[in-house]
């Protein structure tokens, strides 16, 4: 199966993906987890570098590299499926990245990419408030990316929530870590 874990920066995507991976591996399944930007490849490294820059040109470059990064991951997954290398695939970040473009383009971009890109088997949307996300981002102690500020996080979350009715499993990550894990576990049990 193919799982996608998405949400805005600082929402807890990596922790959720790790839980899904641990669950699958505990069942004896072989799992490939890919996070975007994928810093293991040049395109992902360039994408990550452009995320630290400001301005419209930087956003255009990030978008360009992100698309190539995701397309590379899809090719890797298809090749691995053909060779029966893994049972399951997890992408951290996928189609919700369209929420970082201006609102006037966001819905169009989502529909377009949903039409042209393959559809995952299960989609998890990890949700937190912009305030909680910003605190987590700051607590990481890393350089802030261009979208990692309160105004951008608030706008991005609003846009992302527009797409939740489209077969996304909404995981509320505003409570305790254990409550979040319980929500993920409940969704994972549904797949059986």
């Amino acid at each position: 199966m193919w799982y996608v874990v998405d949400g805005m920066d600082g929402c807890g995507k990596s922790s959720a993906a790790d839980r899904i991976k641990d669950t699958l591996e505990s069942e004896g399944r072989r799992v490939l987890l890919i996070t975007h930007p994928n810093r293991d490849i040049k395109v992902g490294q360039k994408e990550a570098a452009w995320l630290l820059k400001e301005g419209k040109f930087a956003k255009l470059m990030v978008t360009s590299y992100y698309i190539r990064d995701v397309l590379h991951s899809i090719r890797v997954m298809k090749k691995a499926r053909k060779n029966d290398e893994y049972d399951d695939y997890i992408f951290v970040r996928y189609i919700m990245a369209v929420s970082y473009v201006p609102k006037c383009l966001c819905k169009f971009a989502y529909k377009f990419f949903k039409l042209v890109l393959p559809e995952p088997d299960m989609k998890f949307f990890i949700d937190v408030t912009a305030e909680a996300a910003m605190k987590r981002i700051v607590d990481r102690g890393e350089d802030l990316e261009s979208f990692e500020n309160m105004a951008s996080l608030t706008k991005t979350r609003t846009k992302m929530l527009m797409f939740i009715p489209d077969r996304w499993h909404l995981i509320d990550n505003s409570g305790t870590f254990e409550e979040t894990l319980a929500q993920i576990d409940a969704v994972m049990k549904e797949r059986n």
Side-chain angles (χ1 to χ4, degrees):
M1 283 185 71
W2 178 22
Y3 303 83
V4 164
V5 180
D6 225 321
M8 67 180 171
D9 290 5
C11 71
K13 295 179 297 297
S14 294
S15 297
D18 288 342
R19 181 58 168 218
I20 294 165
K21 184 176 190 267
D22 291 346
T23 298
L24 295 167
E25 288 180 338
S26 74
E27 297 169 358
R29 300 183 66 78
R30 301 165 298 157
V31 182
L32 176 63
L33 179 115
I34 301 174
T35 299
H36 303 106
N38 183 350
R39 289 174 171 84
D40 293 335
I41 61 173
K42 283 204 186 285
V43 167
Q45 293 163 4
K46 289 180 180 182
E47 175 188 352
W50 279 103
L51 278 167
L52 297 173
K53 299 179 182 180
E54 297 289 334
K56 290 182 181 182
F57 184 72
K59 289 180 181 178
L60 179 65
M61 294 304 294
V62 166
T63 302
S64 169
Y65 282 114
Y66 179 79
I67 291 167
R68 289 188 269 172
D69 192 6
V70 168
L71 292 173
H72 175 268
S73 296
I74 290 168
R75 284 191 304 274
V76 166
M77 181 177 64
K78 285 182 177 182
K79 182 179 178 186
R81 278 183 170 168
K82 183 178 178 183
N83 296 329
D84 194 33
E85 294 177 49
Y86 298 96
D87 302 306
D88 299 292
Y89 304 85
I90 303 169
F91 283 14
V92 177
R93 285 195 181 96
Y94 187 55
I95 198 168
M96 283 286 194
V98 300
S99 300
Y100 288 95
V101 302
K103 192 171 185 175
C104 60
L105 300 174
C106 187
K107 284 184 181 180
F108 170 77
Y110 184 86
K111 289 177 183 176
F112 174 77
F113 287 115
K114 192 168 175 348
L115 182 68
V116 299
L117 293 175
E119 180 75 13
D121 298 304
M122 291 190 81
K123 301 182 291 188
F124 290 81
F125 177 73
I126 313 303
D127 186 37
V128 294
T129 63
E131 293 81 12
M134 193 67 216
K135 181 180 180 335
R136 292 174 184 174
I137 291 166
V138 169
D139 288 349
R140 290 190 304 224
E142 299 171 355
D143 291 336
L144 294 181
E145 296 175 356
S146 59
F147 299 104
E148 294 178 336
N149 59 69
M150 281 300 297
S152 288
L153 291 171
T154 301
K155 288 178 189 175
T156 300
R157 179 175 183 247
T158 300
K159 289 184 274 185
M160 286 182 170
L161 287 171
M162 293 186 308
F163 305 120
I164 296 310
D166 185 30
R167 292 187 39 230
W168 286 87
H169 295 280
L170 177 65
I171 305 296
D172 180 2
N173 196 15
S174 60
T176 66
F177 188 60
E178 291 74 23
E179 290 169 337
T180 300
L181 296 181
Q183 292 174 68
I184 293 167
D185 292 346
V187 173
M188 292 298 287
K189 285 179 185 167
E190 288 177 17
R191 80 193 199 293
N192 297 328

